[in-house]
Amino acid sequence: SCSPAASVGMHSMAAHSREARIFFERFISKFPFCPTGLKNMEDHRDDLIVIVAGYTNLMQQFIHTNPGLESRFNKYFYFEDYSADQLLSILESQCRRNSYTLSEGAREKAAKLLAEAYESRDENFGNAREVRNLFEKLVSCQSDRIAAMESPTKEDLILLSEADFDAAAGEPEAE
């Protein structure tokens, strides 16, 4: 059990957000050297690398949940969000990697959607995760469309169409 380490951290977290406390509790509960995770981070600092990653604000809250964490995590890397063009490139790459092609209409709609998502992004913006979710929806909608065909061609099987995009976005199909 990791209770001793978690209870040490809980005392200093009282004034911090619920999300940061939950994150800290999960970190400590999964730490490989429980129940004395923070002590072992220090004792094994020459042999151990611990990497935590997440949204900037939540990570800052997490680091401040316990004074011992702040002194042990002293290297930070910040990554900018992908641009709308980069997000579209990621979608096209996922299509290629999985042997799909985007129709021109689907590509145009994806470019518009990803540009809008980028422009309206907030602290919860999922970056490439947004693209992965879109890709998975497109594939799901494409398989529904293919299932309704009597004799799909090879091109049908690899094409993610504008209709698939509309279905993924919850838009009514054009007649």
Side-chain angles (χ1 to χ4, degrees):
S1 165
C2 297
S3 299
S7 64
V8 169
M10 290 300 291
H11 176 69
S12 64
M13 293 188 296
H16 295 283
S17 77
R18 181 176 182 272
E19 292 87 7
R21 284 193 308 272
I22 291 169
F23 190 82
F24 180 75
E25 289 167 10
R26 287 181 183 160
F27 171 77
I28 292 299
S29 72
K30 296 188 183 330
F31 197 74
F33 298 110
C34 283
T36 55
L38 293 175
K39 180 182 181 315
N40 279 303
M41 281 178 71
E42 182 64 27
D43 292 349
H44 299 282
R45 69 181 176 271
D46 293 334
D47 304 318
L48 179 67
I49 296 174
V50 178
I51 298 171
V52 294
Y55 295 112
T56 303
N57 291 340
L58 287 175
M59 293 308 302
Q60 288 171 346
Q61 291 173 9
F62 166 67
I63 293 298
H64 296 301
T65 58
N66 183 293
L69 285 177
E70 199 163 356
S71 66
R72 287 171 179 87
F73 286 100
N74 55 14
K75 301 270 189 275
Y76 299 92
F77 298 96
Y78 296 93
F79 299 96
E80 296 297 320
D81 290 335
Y82 290 115
S83 70
D85 288 340
Q86 290 171 318
L87 293 171
L88 180 59
S89 181
I90 292 168
L91 177 63
E92 291 171 327
S93 174
Q94 285 185 326
C95 289
R96 280 191 305 275
R97 213 178 19 244
N98 291 283
S99 301
Y100 288 100
T101 59
L102 275 176
S103 72
E104 190 55 38
R107 186 187 184 286
E108 289 170 9
K109 287 190 173 203
K112 182 179 179 200
L113 176 83
L114 293 170
E116 289 170 359
Y118 179 81
E119 290 304 318
S120 65
R121 72 192 185 282
D122 61 14
E123 69 277 356
N124 297 314
F125 180 63
N127 222 358
R129 183 178 64 238
E130 303 285 337
V131 175
R132 184 193 67 229
N133 291 341
L134 173 60
F135 175 74
E136 289 172 356
K137 283 182 188 175
L138 286 169
V139 169
S140 176
C141 292
Q142 185 250 23
S143 56
D144 290 344
R145 179 175 56 83
I146 297 297
M149 295 179 158
E150 195 166 307
S151 300
T153 65
K154 180 180 178 187
E155 183 175 301
D156 292 326
L157 297 174
I158 64 170
L159 182 69
L160 299 176
S161 72
E162 192 170 349
D164 301 327
F165 190 94
D166 292 343
E171 297 177 16
E173 287 187 38
E175 302 261 337

